[in-house]
C-alpha cells in the first residue's frame, strides 16, 4: 500500500499522507486470526518470500503508474497468499483511483470482515467511502498484441450435419441425398493475429488496426484472413460513461474477397447502479455488410444489448440479453430476419503457478434468427429458423507479466428447421499471446 499512499496522497478524493504511517506496520501480511492462518496454510501457493517479491513488483508498477500490471500482480498475490492484507487494501485503493467504486467497496468489505483491521484503518476506509471514488479518466496509450496458435477444427467447411435432408416443398415432404462434398471436413490449422491501438496526436481519439489469418493443412480453399481498421473515443455526459467506435473491415476466403463491412458501435454505463458487486451497462451497433461475389446477400444489421456483471476479487460473471435485426435485399432468400440472444461468461482466478496467475474462462451463448418470409417459395416453403449454441472453455497460463499460453475448446451447434443448413463444429487450439506497451 506504500506506493499508492505516497503517490496519490493529498486532499480531495485521495488518501492523506499521514495515513501511510498508520498502515506501514499493518498492511504487509496480516492474517485475520491464527486459526484462520492455520486453516489456509495448506492452500497458500506462495511462500512469504515469494509473496513479498510479488508485492514489491506491484509497488514498482504503481510507482511507474502502470496500473494494469499492478492490478494483475496484486490479484496474483491475493490468490497465492490470501492473508496479505496489504494486497487487498492496495487493490481497493487502486480500483477507487480508477473510479470503480463498486469493486473498491467490495474489497473494503472483505478487508473489514476478513482481517479485523484496527480502528485507524477502519476510519480511513470509512472516510474514503464517504468521499467516493473519482470517475475513471481515459488515458490512451499505445498497446500492441501478437498471437500465434495451432489447432484442429472438426468442420472447417461448415458441412451439413446429415447428408439425408428432408425439405417441405409445395407437394409435401421431399427427401434429398446430398453429395459427399457437403459433409463436414476436419483439418488442422495455424493461426496468427496482430493488433495495435494508439492515440491520434492532439485529439481525444484512438485508432486501432487488427489482422488475423488462418491457414489449413489441406483445405486451403477455406483459408481465411481478416483486416479491421477504426477509431475509438471515450466520452462522459451527466454521469454517464462510455465510448463509441467506428470501423471498417474485410475478409478473404480462399484468397478471394468474401466480405466487407462498415460498423458503428457504442457502449454506455449509466450513473445509477445496483449495490456492489453488481453492475450493468448498455451497448448497441449498426453494421453494413457487402458480399462482392454475392450481392443479393448484402445486408444491414443492428443490435442492442443489456449487460449485467457480478465481479469480486477473484472472479467475474457477466450475463447479457440482446435483440437484433438483419435487413437484406429483396432477392435474399427468406427476406429480413429478427434475432434474439442470451449469453453467460465466467472467469475465475484459480491460483498461481511459477509465480503467475492461472485463470479459467467459460462461456455459453445462444442466438436465434427467424426469417420473415419463406426461404425459397416453390421449393422450400417455410420460414427459416436458425438457433446457434456456442460453448467455450479456456485455461490461461501466464509465463510473464505480458505473455501467456491459452488452451481453448470451442463447440458450435447450429440447429435449423431446414436441415440443409444444420452443422456442428468443435475446435481445439493452443495459443501463445504476447503484448507490449502500457497506458501512461
Amino acid at each position: 500500500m506504500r506506493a499508492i499512499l505516497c503517490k496519490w496522497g493529498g486532499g480531495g478524493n485521495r488518501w492523506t499522507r499521514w495515513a501511510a504511517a498508520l498502515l506501514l506496520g499493518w498492511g504487509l501480511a496480516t492474517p485475520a486470526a491464527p486459526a484462520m492462518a492455520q486453516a489456509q496454510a495448506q492452500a497458500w501457493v506462495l511462500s512469504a518470500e515469494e509473496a513479498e517479491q510479488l508485492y514489491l513488483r506491484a509497488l514498482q508498477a504503481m510507482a511507474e503508474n502502470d496500473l494494469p500490471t499492478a492490478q494483475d500482480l496484486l490479484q496474483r498475490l491475493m490468490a497465492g497468499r490470501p492473508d496479505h492484507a496489504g494486497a487487498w487494501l492496495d487493490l481497493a485503493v487502486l480500483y477507487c483511483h480508477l473510479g470503480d467504486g463498486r469493486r473498491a467497496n467490495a474489497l473494503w468489505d472483505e478487508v473489514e470482515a476478513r482481517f479485523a483491521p484496527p480502528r485507524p484503518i477502519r476510519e480511513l476506509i470509512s472516510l474514503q467511502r464517504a468521499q467516493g471514488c473519482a470517475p475513471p479518466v481515459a488515458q490512451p496509450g499505445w498497446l500492441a498484441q501478437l498471437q500465434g496458435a495451432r489447432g484442429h477444427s472438426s468442420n472447417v467447411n461448415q458441412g451439413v450435419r446429415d447428408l439425408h435432408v428432408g425439405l417441405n416443398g409445395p407437394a409435401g415432404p421431399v427427401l434429398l441425398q446430398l453429395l459427399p462434398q457437403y459433409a463436414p471436413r476436419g483439418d488442422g490449422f495455424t493461426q496468427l493475429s496482430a493488433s495495435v491501438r494508439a492515440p491520434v496526436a492532439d485529439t481525444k481519439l484512438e485508432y486501432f488496426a487488427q489482422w488475423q489469418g488462418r491457414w489449413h493443412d489441406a483445405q486451403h480453399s477455406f483459408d481465411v484472413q481478416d483486416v479491421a481498421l477504426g477509431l475509438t473515443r471515450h466520452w462522459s455526459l451527466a454521469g454517464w460513461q462510455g465510448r463509441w467506435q467506428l470501423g471498417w473491415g474485410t475478409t478473404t476466403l480462399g484468397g478471394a474477397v468474401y466480405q466487407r463491412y462498415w460498423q458503428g458501435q457504442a457502449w454506455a454505463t449509466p450513473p445509477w447502479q445496483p449495490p456492489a458487486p453488481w453492475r450493468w451497462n448498455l451497448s448497441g451497433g449498426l453494421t453494413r455488410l457487402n458480399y462482392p461475389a454475392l450481392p443479393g446477400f448484402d445486408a444491414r444489421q443492428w443490435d442492442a444489448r443489456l449487460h449485467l456483471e457480478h465481479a469480486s476479487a477473484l472472479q467475474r460473471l457477466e450475463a447479457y440479453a440482446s435483440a437484433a435485426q438483419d435487413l437484406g435485399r429483396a432477392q435474399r432468400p427468406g427476406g429480413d430476419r429478427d434475432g434474439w440472444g442470451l449469453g453467460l461468461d465466467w472467469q475465475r482466478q484459480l491460483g498461481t503457478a511459477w509465480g503467475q496467475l492461472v485463470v479459467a474462462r467459460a462461456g455459453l451463448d445462444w442466438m436465434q434468427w427467424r426469417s420473415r418470409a419463406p426461404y425459397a417459395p416453390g421449393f422450400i416453403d417455410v420460414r427459416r429458423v436458425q438457433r446457434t449454441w456456442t460453448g467455450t472453455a479456456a485455461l490461461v497460463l501466464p509465463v510473464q507479466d505480458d505473455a501467456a499460453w491459452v488452451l481453448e475448446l470451442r463447440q458450435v451447434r447450429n440447429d435449423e428447421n431446414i436441415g440443409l443448413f444444420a452443422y456442428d463444429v468443435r475446435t481445439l487450439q493452443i495459443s501463445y499471446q504476447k503484448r507490449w506497451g502500457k497506458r501512461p
Side-chain angles (χ1 to χ4, degrees):
M1 188 152 195
R2 291 166 288 187
I4 291 183
L5 293 173
C6 295
K7 184 175 182 59
W8 294 339
N13 196 34
R14 300 174 183 178
W15 293 76
T16 55
R17 290 185 181 276
W18 60 266
L22 296 174
L23 295 173
L24 285 179
W26 182 79
L28 292 182
T30 307
M36 179 182 179
Q38 183 177 2
Q40 290 182 336
Q42 298 300 322
W44 290 342
V45 179
L46 297 174
S47 67
E49 182 179 354
E50 291 171 331
E52 182 63 12
Q53 290 298 317
L54 202 60
Y55 190 53
L56 291 175
R57 290 170 59 192
L59 295 180
Q60 181 63 31
M62 288 186 285
E64 296 174 353
N65 209 21
D66 185 1
L67 302 187
T69 297
Q71 176 182 337
D72 179 61
L73 292 170
L74 289 171
Q75 288 173 337
R76 292 186 216 167
L77 179 53
M78 290 165 59
R81 279 299 292 250
D83 71 325
H84 202 294
W88 289 78
L89 275 172
D90 278 338
L91 189 59
V93 177
L94 187 152
Y95 279 139
C96 192
H97 175 77
L98 294 174
D100 195 341
R102 175 179 55 89
R103 283 196 174 101
N105 279 296
L107 284 175
W108 281 323
D109 288 341
E110 287 284 345
V111 168
E112 291 175 329
R114 182 186 292 254
F115 300 104
R119 187 176 66 179
I121 304 298
R122 296 197 305 271
E123 290 176 351
L124 286 174
I125 292 175
S126 298
L127 177 63
Q128 188 66 26
R129 290 185 196 270
Q131 291 177 339
C133 298
V137 178
Q139 298 178 328
W142 75 272
L143 296 169
Q145 181 169 302
L146 184 65
Q147 176 179 330
R150 180 66 187 168
H152 184 274
S153 173
S154 66
N155 191 355
V156 301
N157 61 324
Q158 293 187 359
V160 66
R161 185 180 298 157
D162 189 349
L163 294 179
H164 298 84
V165 178
L167 301 176
N168 292 319
V174 177
L175 183 63
L176 299 179
Q177 172 66 49
L178 300 180
L179 296 175
Q181 67 191 64
Y182 296 106
R185 299 183 225 171
D187 200 2
F189 62 84
T190 299
Q191 183 170 293
L192 295 174
S193 64
S195 64
V196 63
R197 179 181 293 270
V200 179
D202 300 323
T203 73
K204 296 182 179 181
L205 297 173
E206 288 182 322
Y207 74 84
F208 66 88
Q210 301 169 346
W211 167 82
Q212 179 174 289
R214 175 183 286 194
W215 298 270
H216 295 93
D217 297 344
Q219 305 294 330
H220 299 298
S221 59
F222 296 99
D223 291 349
V224 178
Q225 291 194 58
D226 296 290
V227 175
L229 305 170
L231 294 172
T232 301
R233 190 184 191 281
H234 292 262
W235 58 268
S236 62
L237 178 66
W240 288 69
Q241 303 285 332
R243 73 185 190 276
W244 58 258
Q245 180 172 293
L246 299 176
W248 169 89
T250 183
T251 301
T252 64
L253 179 64
V257 177
Y258 173 71
Q259 180 191 86
R260 297 190 184 98
Y261 70 85
W262 295 261
Q263 187 176 63
Q265 294 176 288
W267 295 263
T269 300
W272 51 89
Q273 293 290 330
W278 295 95
R279 188 177 183 85
W280 72 282
N281 57 73
L282 302 167
S283 67
L286 177 64
T287 304
R288 186 175 184 87
L289 300 170
N290 168 248
Y291 298 89
L294 301 166
F297 285 82
D298 292 353
R300 289 175 291 113
Q301 295 180 350
W302 71 262
D303 70 273
R305 289 192 177 195
L306 171 65
H307 306 258
L308 181 63
E309 177 185 338
H310 181 282
S312 63
L314 298 180
Q315 71 176 358
R316 181 182 64 84
L317 182 67
E318 181 180 355
Y320 75 84
S322 67
Q325 280 191 338
D326 181 7
L327 308 177
R329 293 192 173 184
Q331 62 268 40
R332 187 178 71 172
D336 296 339
R337 303 190 301 167
D338 300 300
W340 302 269
L342 296 171
L344 192 66
D345 292 302
W346 171 80
Q347 178 175 299
R348 180 171 179 82
Q349 300 167 18
L350 300 181
T352 58
W354 301 291
Q356 302 293 330
L357 183 67
V358 179
V359 176
R361 296 196 304 247
L364 181 63
D365 296 272
W366 171 83
M367 187 71 195
Q368 174 179 282
W369 288 103
R370 184 181 295 270
S371 295
R372 298 180 182 178
Y375 186 78
F379 179 57
I380 304 177
D381 289 329
V382 296
R383 299 181 182 183
R384 182 181 178 184
V385 179
Q386 178 185 14
R387 299 183 180 93
T388 305
W389 295 86
T390 303
T392 59
L395 189 65
V396 182
L397 178 61
V399 292
Q400 296 176 349
D401 295 340
D402 53 6
W405 288 96
V406 181
L407 179 65
E408 182 178 32
L409 175 65
R410 177 182 295 266
Q411 174 72 49
V412 178
R413 181 176 179 85
N414 188 67
D415 292 323
E416 304 257 0
N417 64 331
I418 303 175
L420 189 63
F421 305 115
Y423 65 87
D424 299 307
V425 183
R426 181 181 293 107
T427 304
L428 178 65
Q429 73 172 41
I430 184 169
S431 62
Y432 181 78
Q433 302 174 354
K434 173 74 175 178
R435 66 179 185 273
W436 298 267
K438 64 181 181 180
R439 296 187 177 276

